């Protein structure tokens, strides 16, 4: 997962971590998130309003920071003042991500976090890079905080079992296709054998015809003897 900026807990005076708490991911809004401000601000720069728009967007991005730790989520905002928000993973109820017109093209979007008992979205990671990966990271940490054991990569046992189930289904589908192919081949072989058996009575009829001809010659033989005696 890409990191737009790394945070050193020792130099970040606004970030207070517990003794066993570690940073998993940290970042700030994507650089491309300034494009809408440039699109609006550049045409208005002749009257100075556009410069304020561009400068405000830049300062807001530089003073915004998002952090995911082993225990919870942190968000810092504010240009002249400072606003720090923290949510423990145990309180997270739902997460989602969204991407707008520019976000879907430049690879950034919003990650929304809702808490149990809260009204609506309690925290938003705005314009972060790879929002889907960040949402998945948060979800895995939330599952781990609820007592679901995770692997070294952060996957829970349920995730691993789901992956195994998908692989087993793929193997079963392959075996079914092979059985269908084998059945088709057996049916073709059986049809060929039936056709061969149907030709066998013809050979028997030929033998019967030869036997009848021999009997007829035997019956004609006494007649020939009688004719000799008469002579």
């Amino acid at each position: 997962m890409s990191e737009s900026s790394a945070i050193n807990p020792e130099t970040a005076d606004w970030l207070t971590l517990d003794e066993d708490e570690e940073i998993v991911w940290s970042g700030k809004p994507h650089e491309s998130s300034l494009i809408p401000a440039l699109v609006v601000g550049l045409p208005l720069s002749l009257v100075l309003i556009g410069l304020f728009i561009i400068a405000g967007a830049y300062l807001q991005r530089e003073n915004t920071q998002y952090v995911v730790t082993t225990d919870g989520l942190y968000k810092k905002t504010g240009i002249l003042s400072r606003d720090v928000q923290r949510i423990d993973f145990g309180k997270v109820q739902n997460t989602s991500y969204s991407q707008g017109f520019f976000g879907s093209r430049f690879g950034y979007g919003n990650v929304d976090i809702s808490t149990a008992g809260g009204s609506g979205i309690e925290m938003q990671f705005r314009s972060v890079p790879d929002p889907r990966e960040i949402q998945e990271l948060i979800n895995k940490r939330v599952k781990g905080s609820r007592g679901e054991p995770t692997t070294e990569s952060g996957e829970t046992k349920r995730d691993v079992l789901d992956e195994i189930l998908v692989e087993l289904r793929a193997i079963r589908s392959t075996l079914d296709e092979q059985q269908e192919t084998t059945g088709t081949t057996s049916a073709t072989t059986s049809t060929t054998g039936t056709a061969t058996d149907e030709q066998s009575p013809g050979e028997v009829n030929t033998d019967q015809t030869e036997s009848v001809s021999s009997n007829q010659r035997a019956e004609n033989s006494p007649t020939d003897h009688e004719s000799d005696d008469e002579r």
Side-chain angles (χ1 to χ4, degrees):
M1 180 183 296
S2 62
E3 295 186 3
S4 56
S5 64
I7 284 185
N8 186 355
E10 297 180 357
T11 58
D13 58 347
W14 64 272
L15 185 62
T16 304
L17 303 179
D18 297 333
E19 293 182 359
D20 57 346
E21 188 176 5
E22 298 179 358
I23 295 176
V24 179
W25 175 89
S26 63
K28 60 174 57 179
H30 197 278
E31 295 177 353
S32 298
S33 63
L34 296 175
I35 293 178
L38 293 174
V39 172
V40 176
L42 287 178
L44 298 176
S45 60
L46 297 177
V47 292
L48 298 180
I49 296 177
L51 296 178
F52 286 105
I53 294 175
I54 296 174
Y58 175 78
L59 291 175
Q60 183 178 4
R61 174 184 178 274
E62 290 299 316
N63 289 275
T64 300
Q65 196 74 45
Y66 309 113
V67 178
V68 178
T69 69
T70 53
D71 293 343
L73 307 172
Y74 293 82
K75 175 184 177 181
K76 181 186 77 73
T77 56
I79 299 175
L80 299 178
S81 61
R82 177 183 296 176
D83 182 15
V84 179
Q85 184 181 5
R86 183 181 190 273
I87 296 179
D88 293 333
F89 287 129
K91 296 181 180 180
V92 176
Q93 182 69 23
N94 187 32
T95 63
S96 62
Y97 80 94
S98 60
Q99 291 179 287
F101 177 79
F102 290 102
S104 60
R105 284 158 179 77
F106 294 98
Y108 67 89
N110 302 332
V111 179
D112 300 328
I113 299 99
S114 301
T115 59
S119 57
I121 299 172
E122 297 295 326
M123 180 183 289
Q124 183 182 67
F125 285 8
R126 187 176 181 83
S127 301
V128 292
D130 301 323
R132 179 178 178 180
E133 294 184 5
I134 296 176
Q135 184 205 19
E136 292 176 354
L137 173 63
I138 295 173
N139 288 338
K140 291 175 182 178
R141 292 292 169 180
V142 170
K143 291 178 181 179
S145 68
R146 294 174 180 173
E148 299 183 10
T150 59
T151 61
E152 294 181 356
S153 62
E155 292 182 330
T156 63
K157 288 186 176 180
R158 183 178 300 175
D159 296 331
V160 175
L161 291 176
D162 290 341
E163 293 177 0
I164 294 175
L165 182 60
V166 172
E167 293 179 359
L168 290 176
R169 288 176 178 174
I171 294 172
R172 181 177 179 181
S173 177
T174 303
L175 292 176
D176 291 341
E177 292 177 358
Q178 292 179 352
Q179 290 179 355
E180 291 178 358
T181 303
T182 304
T184 304
T185 304
S186 299
T188 304
T189 304
S190 177
T191 303
T192 305
T194 303
T196 304
D197 294 339
E198 290 178 353
Q199 293 177 356
S200 297
E203 297 176 357
V204 175
N205 292 335
T206 303
D207 295 339
Q208 292 177 352
T209 303
E210 293 177 354
S211 177
V212 171
S213 300
S214 300
N215 292 334
Q216 289 178 352
R217 287 196 298 271
E219 291 177 356
N220 292 333
S221 296
T223 306
D224 295 339
H225 288 296
E226 291 177 359
S227 299
D228 293 338
D229 293 340
E230 291 178 356
R231 285 195 302 266

